[in-house]
Amino acid sequence: MKRKNRFTELAGKYRHAWVFLYILVYMPWFLWLEKHVTTNYYVIQTRLDEWIPFNEFFIIPYLMWFGFIAVAFLYFFFTDVPGFYRLAKFMFTGMTIFLIISTAFPNGQDLRPMVFERDNIFVDMVRVLYRADTCTNVFPSLHVFNSISVCIAVHESQALKKHRGVTIGTYVLAGLIILATMFLKQHSVLDVIGACLMACVLYQFVYAAERKREPRYAKQKGALLQNK
């Protein structure tokens, strides 16, 4: 009985975990794109991309992205449920837009080096990355968009604003991750710009729109209290 009550208590406390069910929509759709968008795609790259040198050392911040996103989600999941919902709404909306764009407008890039100038453990890690991740479905860059999503969530968090080291560390790591997408030739400058533009637009619909609603809700609540 105690175990059942404990389970019921946890289920009620963390009922917002249902949001993670989005993975059941995202992963099958993304894997389908990875399987079917292989050769016939629009190449998205610019002359500027050719001027950006390949640098294998950026594999470190690039791979740190996975932990970066996971830690951010877990922090808000356990400490700030409204913040968690905002982050999920923002990020998952952008990821869905990415899937729609990749389906309607198959895209990719041809920036990856054919031959590496150096041979070291970091280059080996890049080779593994290239084998695991195709050069298609790149616009807009989710590495960039999701990193910006975390930065916005941290910036909007009243609790984290008190921890300057955390906020600065978040911005620095996000910046390195964004640079890594280009220096590893995983994404073009256009992919990065597209992700930034998408984040700017969605910010208005998620965070800015909610901030505008708060004064109205406060007035309505005050009116109700006065009537009582």
Side-chain angles (χ1 to χ4, degrees):
M1 183 62 70
K2 289 184 178 180
R3 185 175 298 178
K4 184 177 179 180
N5 291 338
R6 179 60 174 167
F7 176 80
T8 302
E9 180 184 345
L10 289 174
K13 184 177 180 180
Y14 299 119
R15 59 183 178 276
H16 50 291
W18 69 268
V19 170
F20 291 120
L21 292 175
Y22 174 75
I23 197 70
L24 300 179
V25 174
Y26 178 80
M27 284 309 298
W29 194 343
F30 177 75
L31 292 175
W32 182 89
L33 288 170
E34 287 288 276
K35 183 178 180 180
H36 290 83
V37 181
T38 54
T39 54
N40 297 320
Y41 55 82
Y42 296 95
V43 177
I44 300 181
Q45 57 195 62
T46 68
R47 180 66 62 87
L48 180 58
D49 292 303
E50 300 174 7
W51 298 341
I52 299 175
F54 170 82
N55 189 308
E56 69 273 20
F57 298 109
F58 275 97
I59 189 65
I60 300 302
Y62 187 89
L63 294 179
M64 289 178 68
W65 174 84
F66 296 95
F68 182 58
I69 301 302
V71 169
F73 259 115
L74 290 175
Y75 170 80
F76 285 99
F77 179 84
F78 288 110
T79 66
D80 182 359
V81 175
F84 170 79
Y85 275 124
R86 286 191 293 269
L87 174 60
K89 181 180 180 180
F90 187 91
M91 191 179 292
F92 294 167
T93 300
M95 292 167 67
T96 303
I97 293 173
F98 158 79
L99 292 172
I100 294 172
I101 292 175
S102 297
T103 303
F105 183 72
N107 57 83
Q109 49 92 346
D110 299 321
L111 296 169
R112 293 178 174 182
M114 300 298 293
V115 178
F116 295 101
E117 297 180 359
R118 296 174 292 276
D119 190 14
N120 53 50
I121 187 172
F122 302 104
V123 170
D124 291 338
M125 294 167 70
V126 174
R127 289 193 179 101
V128 173
L129 172 65
Y130 284 179
R131 287 195 295 268
D133 189 13
T134 69
C135 60
T136 58
N137 308 310
V138 296
F139 182 87
S141 168
L142 285 189
H143 249 68
V144 173
F145 174 76
N146 288 352
S147 297
I148 295 174
S149 301
V150 172
C151 287
I152 292 174
V154 169
H155 174 75
E156 295 290 325
S157 171
Q158 294 300 320
L160 290 178
K161 283 182 179 179
K162 302 174 184 177
H163 302 280
R164 188 171 177 81
V166 173
T167 56
I168 293 176
T170 298
Y171 301 153
V172 170
L173 180 53
L176 289 173
I177 290 170
I178 293 171
L179 289 174
T181 64
M182 294 178 285
F183 279 96
L184 291 180
K185 302 301 178 180
Q186 281 290 91
H187 288 282
S188 75
V189 173
L190 291 177
D191 300 331
V192 174
I193 293 174
C196 292
L197 289 176
M198 183 166 69
C200 289
V201 172
L202 288 180
Y203 179 85
Q204 300 304 317
F205 288 96
V206 178
Y207 289 94
E210 183 171 316
R211 192 180 299 111
K212 291 178 182 178
R213 287 194 296 267
E214 286 176 354
R216 185 167 71 249
Y217 290 151
K219 289 181 180 179
Q220 291 176 349
K221 186 176 180 180
L224 289 173
L225 290 175
Q226 288 180 355
N227 292 332
K228 288 182 178 180

